Amino acid sequence: MQPPLSPRIRYGVHPSVPYAARIVENLPARTGRSLEEWVSLLGEAEASDNKERRSWLRDQHGLGGTTIGLILNHAAGKGAENLSPDAYLENAPKLVEAMYAGPKAHLLPIYEALLELGLSLGPDVEACPCKTIVPLYRTHVFAEIKPTTRTRIDLGLALKGIEHPTSASVLDTGGLARGDRITHRIPLEALDEITDEVRDWLDRAYALDSPTHG
């Protein structure tokens, strides 16, 4: 049986949700058609699959990738939870439950401990589940919790400016060179591995994302 999520856990709305909602709201003024009208028009296109539909919307109508993705998802009956804050928040626990289902269920207590630790850093922290990770936001993403394997959770950290952490447990992800927010990770396989050192690094990532930092 899937362990229940802690009732103490709270989630915030992922920033992509209001962003997508604004795109949909502005579609009529920007393109001359609403989302539903674009879906209806898409049904008239001589395109057999999503690749052809994507090309048709881009080449024939000049739409951008994000807008095209919204139209294709809506046409397929997907993504409604990513257009409404209420729908997203209702779906968020389900994303986490799916992440820790089956052979990863034993990792759930580690996830909950890390999440509660992150949320305790300040009232401005929000956890916004995605399909495979739960990122923690302050001004930007400063950490993420990911069940990378069946036996390990990686606590990703945004530590730009701290290029060489003096700890063997803090591993370079290569993110700095790629321009990613997450630059380091701490692998965790048991609750007792969430030490004061882990707490300190999470707190440092939170501090680096202060609106007044730098």
Side-chain angles (χ1 to χ4, degrees):
M1 179 181 296
Q2 174 68 21
L5 294 172
S6 168
R8 296 188 301 276
I9 289 177
R10 67 184 191 276
Y11 294 120
V13 177
H14 195 281
S16 65
V17 175
Y19 174 70
R22 285 194 299 272
I23 291 177
V24 171
E25 181 181 356
N26 293 329
L27 270 178
R30 188 167 60 86
T31 70
R33 293 183 177 90
S34 68
L35 180 60
E36 294 294 346
E37 288 170 334
W38 275 111
V39 170
S40 178
L41 184 66
L42 185 64
E44 301 173 9
E46 295 180 0
S48 60
D49 56 30
N50 268 359
K51 183 177 180 181
E52 291 185 3
R53 295 184 184 99
R54 187 176 295 276
S55 297
W56 184 76
L57 289 167
R58 181 188 66 238
D59 300 338
Q60 298 297 318
H61 298 281
L63 299 183
T66 301
T67 301
I68 291 171
L70 289 170
I71 293 170
L72 293 178
N73 279 340
H74 197 68
K78 300 176 182 178
E81 69 279 2
N82 295 322
L83 296 177
S84 160
D86 289 342
Y88 171 84
L89 290 175
E90 182 179 352
N91 190 55
K94 299 174 186 177
L95 292 172
V96 176
E97 289 168 3
M99 254 185 277
Y100 292 93
K104 294 184 179 180
H106 67 101
L107 295 173
L108 188 61
I110 304 173
Y111 161 76
E112 291 192 334
L114 289 172
L115 184 57
E116 291 191 16
L117 179 60
L119 293 174
S120 73
L121 294 174
D124 54 353
V125 177
E126 288 197 325
C128 308
C130 302
K131 188 173 182 180
T132 60
I133 61 172
V134 176
L136 302 181
Y137 288 84
R138 190 181 189 187
T139 304
H140 310 90
V141 175
F142 70 89
E144 66 180 28
I145 306 169
K146 179 178 182 179
T148 308
T149 72
R150 293 185 176 188
T151 61
R152 187 184 86 237
I153 283 179
D154 281 331
L155 175 62
L157 300 168
L159 296 176
K160 184 179 179 181
I162 306 177
E163 297 184 15
H164 303 289
T166 55
S167 172
S169 63
V170 181
L171 307 179
D172 191 336
T173 65
L176 186 63
R178 295 192 301 269
D180 295 343
R181 283 287 304 168
I182 301 300
T183 60
H184 296 80
R185 66 180 177 88
I186 300 177
L188 300 161
E189 297 185 352
L191 270 173
D192 60 10
E193 293 178 359
I194 305 176
T195 61
D196 288 341
E197 181 185 21
V198 173
R199 296 182 179 91
D200 179 64
W201 282 112
L202 184 57
D203 185 63
R204 292 178 74 175
Y206 170 77
L208 284 170
D209 196 39
S210 166
T212 59
H213 180 76

